[in-house]
Amino acid sequence: MRTGEPLPSVGDVLAALATGLWHWDTAAGLVTVDGEAARLLGLPPEPVTLTESQTRARLHPEDWNEITGVVPLAVDEGTLAEVRIRIMDEEGRVVRVVRSRSKPSFDPDRRAYELIGTLQEVTEPTPGTAAARNAVTGDWRRSREAFLLDAGRALAEARSTTEVLRVAAGLSMPGFSPDGLAVFGVEGDRLTVIGHHGQRPGEDGPFLGMPLSTDYPAAEVVRTGRAVYISSPEQYRSRYPVTWPLARHFERRSWAFLPLTAAGRTMGAWMAAFTYPVAFTPDERAVLTTVARMLAQALNRAGAADTQRELTEGLQRSMLPSLGPEIPGMTVAARYIPTGGGLQVGGDWYDMIPLPGGRFALAIGDVQGHDVRAAGLMGQLRIALRAYASEGHRPDAVLSRAARFLHGITHDEHMTDVRFATCLYVEADPATGMLEIARAGHPDPAIRMADGTVMMRPTAGGVPLGVDPDADYPTTRFTLEPGETLMLCTDGLIETGGHDMESGWRRIRAILEDHTGDLESMADALVQGVHGPSSHHTTGPLADRREDDIALLLLCRQGGGCGRDDTLTLRPRLRRTLLPVAQDEPERIAEARRHLRELLHDWGSAEQVDSAVLLVSEMVTNVLVHTDADALLLAEVAGEPGGRRLRVEVTDSGDDLPHRRRPGELASSGRGLMLIELLADLWGVDPRGKGKSIWFELYESDGPAAV
């Protein structure tokens, strides 16, 4: 430049330095660039104004996100915002890398950023070189340590061989990430391919069953236990001419084959292949060797876990029965899900036992614990129950004998691990629908009525099996009406997900009442409603989320509302329940109150529900106090919601008819009939052949929901 000539403009200077200018106003959503910046963005080299979306389309998505994150930080710190940006073409390929430097400012009135900066192309070093490592990671050693820490954590968390291979395929090594991976195993004197990544399906065919004596790098690694590093195709061809044709068509430039060694034994080989030359410096070899060691340990753990999982799944399957042939007039569905953790084998079980005369029994139970001992006791107990049932014993006798059996095998003088088990045993007559139930410390069954109403069915019971060898187990009898479904389950279905018995039961009831499909889909809906998809026997991620095993049995007496996809509006609007209360069971008066509340859980008036519960309590108590007979409670709801009728009868075998009394102010009794007359819409006393029945009716009125 001669003296006296004008100085060149800033734009000319920057253009001479291959540096472009750009301006971004986030309020307007516009980016203005000069000709050089436009060229760097892959546009014609002339000034242009772009929208944010047009600009974003030219950049790598990750880099755009980095820009939007760096700008606010630079404003807060009062520094320059500097970002490396990958420029993409229309086909999504990186065409160049540029460095952006800008000075951002923030306008609080417009609540917007304004940036003025420069763009300058960056020459990327050759992949695999030390310069590439420094450019990508900044500090090779610190990045290597961080990578190995993350890789070790991810491999340690992998629970199966498939998960280990997935983690290995996703490893991004600092500065020299492979694009092809293969894991080889050994079966006898031959190589196997456990898994691969970066190759198309079927391309591993020539390597399957390859003899270990083959002149192939992976085979040599398994034979010698030493790693093989190949930096170029020429080196591969000269060292392994026999198998070079197999590797040539993959078009890789460098390969590393490392031994997978666990417990001093070489169990296979790991191949990492690169599409660019890699020198395999000492640092690079150290990273590869460390990854190979972690990979071997992870595969060894995963292989053992896979074998254990297959073994325990087979054990559990062998212990759980099939449901057998179809039962005329009835349908049965079952599900079992083991707990997560440990051996994924536990003590929950179910069974279906054929009995003489076309009858059958259903049993469900839970042996304490989630280990092999619990599973073993479960198997023994299930076989014992089958034997006692097949001998013709009634439900109470079956459980009494099972209690003595379990107590005998768990209370040996040499045993320190004493176990007990809950159980619910149901004998069913398909012809009449009659059910006889004995219960040992197990949750009560539930009934889904023909109109979709669901309620817990209180039954008499005793202590868990194995606690007392002389325990008694009273029997509860009731009829399963056409269209009704009996649900038996272990507490895992109810209490999963942090629920207690009360809140878990409300969740189960909602699922059952909303369901309109057949029995199999109902079983699936119950399990899925608790925590996701299942099958008849589920392991893996679903089981891993569980705190306890689940066993589930559904028994439906065919009829309206059962076994077909009808809607609730098409089902019969009738629900009925029967509950006996014996003289020596006054505590069951509270059960009767709860039972009635469940029957009326959707009744329109809360006051009427309270009145009905009060009257039932009074009527049952009068039978137990003033007679020597047992009470039988029958409650029936009929009609459409909003205009339904409740009829309650309490029957006993006493001959004395109730009569009105006039108690004084301080009297503690004598107000039963006065309460019925005051609260009921209709009431009466009917003599029966032997005994009597006192009844009342309520008609649904508008009001707040009962429950």
Side-chain angles (χ1 to χ4, degrees):
M1 185 173 63
R2 295 187 180 87
T3 303
E5 289 184 355
L7 292 172
S9 66
V10 173
D12 293 337
V13 173
L14 292 176
L17 297 174
T19 301
L21 285 173
W22 61 275
H23 173 261
W24 181 16
D25 184 352
T26 61
L30 298 175
V31 178
T32 301
V33 297
D34 66 6
E36 182 61 18
R39 183 190 69 81
L40 293 174
L41 290 175
L43 300 169
E46 55 189 33
V48 65
T49 298
L50 307 171
T51 64
E52 286 183 356
S53 60
Q54 290 173 325
T55 306
R56 185 172 185 172
R58 314 297 303 181
L59 312 184
H60 194 285
E62 293 179 0
D63 299 341
W64 176 267
N65 294 335
E66 185 175 357
I67 293 171
T68 57
V70 167
V71 167
L73 183 61
V75 170
D76 292 340
E77 297 179 350
T79 58
L80 291 175
E82 182 171 342
V83 184
R84 291 166 61 90
I85 303 172
R86 287 164 286 184
I87 307 300
M88 316 291 289
D89 62 13
E90 288 78 9
E91 297 181 6
R93 296 173 301 190
V94 176
V95 294
R96 64 175 55 87
V97 179
V98 300
R99 179 184 290 110
S100 168
R101 289 189 177 94
S102 63
K103 179 65 175 177
S105 61
F106 180 73
D107 186 344
D109 296 330
R110 301 167 64 214
R111 301 192 62 79
Y113 292 96
E114 185 174 4
L115 295 85
I116 299 175
T118 62
L119 291 180
Q120 189 173 32
E121 187 167 5
V122 176
T123 302
E124 287 291 274
T126 303
T129 64
R133 291 194 297 269
N134 292 332
V136 175
T137 65
D139 186 333
W140 159 251
R141 296 187 184 279
R142 186 165 59 247
S143 178
R144 180 186 67 181
E145 293 171 359
F147 160 74
L148 293 176
L149 181 62
D150 291 341
R153 183 184 300 113
L155 288 170
E157 293 174 352
R159 292 192 167 188
S160 67
T161 301
T162 301
E163 290 183 23
V164 171
L165 295 175
R166 189 183 304 121
V167 170
L171 294 178
S172 180
M173 300 182 194
F176 67 116
S177 293
D179 72 308
L181 299 171
V183 176
F184 298 91
V186 180
E187 285 187 3
D189 59 351
R190 293 182 178 272
L191 280 180
T192 62
V193 179
I194 298 175
H196 60 85
H197 172 73
Q199 290 76 237
R200 291 186 294 271
E203 289 188 332
D204 59 343
F207 305 94
L208 296 176
M210 180 181 288
L212 292 179
S213 58
T214 305
D215 189 25
Y216 179 65
E220 179 180 324
V221 167
V222 173
R223 292 195 308 266
T224 65
R226 295 191 298 270
V228 171
Y229 298 99
I230 306 171
S231 298
S232 67
E234 293 76 19
Q235 188 179 4
Y236 197 125
R237 183 171 56 248
S238 64
R239 291 182 60 178
Y240 303 97
V242 174
T243 53
W244 164 244
L246 298 177
R248 179 173 53 193
H249 83 279
F250 292 106
E251 298 181 351
R252 301 281 164 45
R253 305 288 295 172
S254 299
W255 299 260
F257 292 83
L258 297 104
L260 297 174
T261 305
R265 180 180 63 89
T266 301
M267 53 186 287
W270 173 49
M271 181 200 76
F274 304 81
T275 54
Y276 52 84
V278 179
F280 296 118
T281 64
D283 277 336
E284 291 167 343
R285 295 190 182 199
V287 170
L288 290 168
T289 300
T290 304
V291 171
R293 289 172 180 168
M294 293 189 298
L295 182 59
Q297 294 172 1
L299 286 171
N300 191 47
R301 288 194 304 270
D306 289 343
T307 301
Q308 189 179 71
R309 191 176 298 113
E310 292 176 5
L311 175 63
T312 55
E313 184 174 350
L315 171 65
Q316 197 79 55
R317 285 183 184 277
S318 67
M319 289 184 173
L320 291 174
S322 62
L323 294 181
E326 293 186 1
I327 304 165
M330 287 191 166
T331 308
V332 183
R335 296 292 183 270
Y336 174 76
I337 304 174
T339 184
L343 289 178
Q344 293 192 338
V345 64
D348 287 27
W349 93 95
Y350 64 83
D351 202 354
M352 179 175 172
I353 308 168
L355 300 174
R359 295 175 299 115
F360 66 94
L362 296 177
I364 192 167
D366 181 2
V367 176
Q368 178 190 13
H370 304 104
D371 50 21
V372 172
R373 176 161 165 75
L377 289 174
M378 175 266 285
Q380 295 178 74
L381 184 57
R382 186 173 71 84
I383 293 171
L385 279 169
R386 271 186 165 262
Y388 299 141
S390 299
E391 289 174 355
H393 298 294
R394 308 304 297 174
D396 54 343
V398 169
L399 289 194
S400 295
R401 284 164 169 76
R404 285 195 293 272
F405 169 79
L406 187 60
H407 187 276
I409 64 175
T410 60
H411 286 72
D412 186 274
E413 61 180 358
H414 302 295
M415 289 187 177
T416 58
D417 183 17
V418 177
R419 303 288 182 100
F420 62 85
T422 66
C423 182
L424 194 149
Y425 181 88
V426 181
E427 185 174 310
D429 184 349
T432 63
M434 177 60 68
L435 305 179
E436 298 183 58
I437 300 176
R439 185 170 58 86
H442 201 81
D444 278 311
I447 297 291
R448 182 177 187 262
M449 298 181 178
D451 72 338
T453 302
V454 178
M455 57 190 300
M456 195 74 76
R457 184 59 170 84
T459 56
V463 298
L465 305 177
V467 174
D468 180 1
D470 300 317
D472 292 325
Y473 298 95
T475 300
T476 300
R477 296 176 178 85
F478 62 88
T479 299
L480 192 66
E481 301 291 342
E484 291 187 343
T485 300
L486 176 76
M487 185 193 80
L488 313 177
C489 69
T490 53
D491 55 6
L493 182 71
I494 302 174
E495 296 181 329
T496 289
H499 286 271
D500 57 20
M501 290 297 289
E502 183 176 350
S503 64
W505 160 241
R506 288 197 298 267
R507 174 179 59 174
I508 295 301
R509 183 172 69 183
I511 295 171
L512 287 172
E513 290 189 339
D514 290 342
H515 186 72
T516 59
D518 61 13
L519 208 65
E520 289 293 333
S521 63
M522 186 187 297
D524 287 334
L526 284 166
V527 175
Q528 293 171 13
V530 170
H531 50 58
S534 75
S535 64
H536 291 264
H537 180 90
T538 302
T539 58
L542 170 63
D544 293 343
R545 294 194 298 271
R546 296 208 18 70
E547 307 99 76
D548 198 1
D549 306 331
I550 285 178
L552 169 68
L553 272 173
L554 298 175
L555 171 66
C556 182
R557 188 177 181 193
Q558 294 170 2
C562 171
R564 58 196 181 103
D565 293 327
D566 54 350
T567 62
L568 292 177
T569 58
L570 298 178
R571 293 176 183 165
R573 292 295 179 180
L574 177 66
R575 61 181 80 158
R576 179 187 296 113
T577 186
L578 197 67
L579 185 68
V581 180
Q583 276 286 331
D584 58 351
E585 297 177 324
E587 68 279 359
R588 299 203 72 191
I589 297 176
E591 288 186 5
R593 291 194 293 263
R594 289 196 301 269
H595 199 54
L596 187 63
R597 283 194 180 276
E598 287 201 347
L599 186 72
L600 301 177
H601 73 276
D602 59 348
W603 193 263
S605 170
E607 291 183 359
Q608 286 185 317
V609 174
D610 291 339
S611 297
V613 170
L614 175 61
L615 294 183
V616 164
S617 182
E618 181 71 23
M619 292 160 63
V620 174
T621 301
N622 281 344
V623 172
L624 300 188
V625 170
H626 298 295
T627 74
D628 295 327
D630 298 335
L632 181 64
L633 169 66
L634 172 65
E636 180 181 273
V637 177
E640 297 295 327
R644 290 174 290 188
R645 182 202 68 181
L646 167 68
R647 180 180 176 88
V648 176
E649 295 184 15
V650 175
T651 303
D652 66 82
S653 58
D655 295 327
D656 295 334
L657 297 178
H659 59 276
R660 188 192 303 274
R661 299 167 61 187
R662 299 186 180 278
E665 290 185 6
L666 300 180
S668 59
S669 63
R671 297 183 175 86
L673 293 184
M674 294 176 60
L675 286 173
I676 296 176
E677 187 175 58
L678 179 65
L679 299 177
D681 292 321
L682 288 176
W683 71 279
V685 179
D686 295 336
R688 296 294 169 89
K690 182 180 180 181
K692 61 184 178 299
S693 172
I694 182 168
W695 58 270
F696 70 85
E697 292 183 357
L698 290 176
Y699 301 101
E700 188 174 21
S701 62
D702 295 335
V707 179

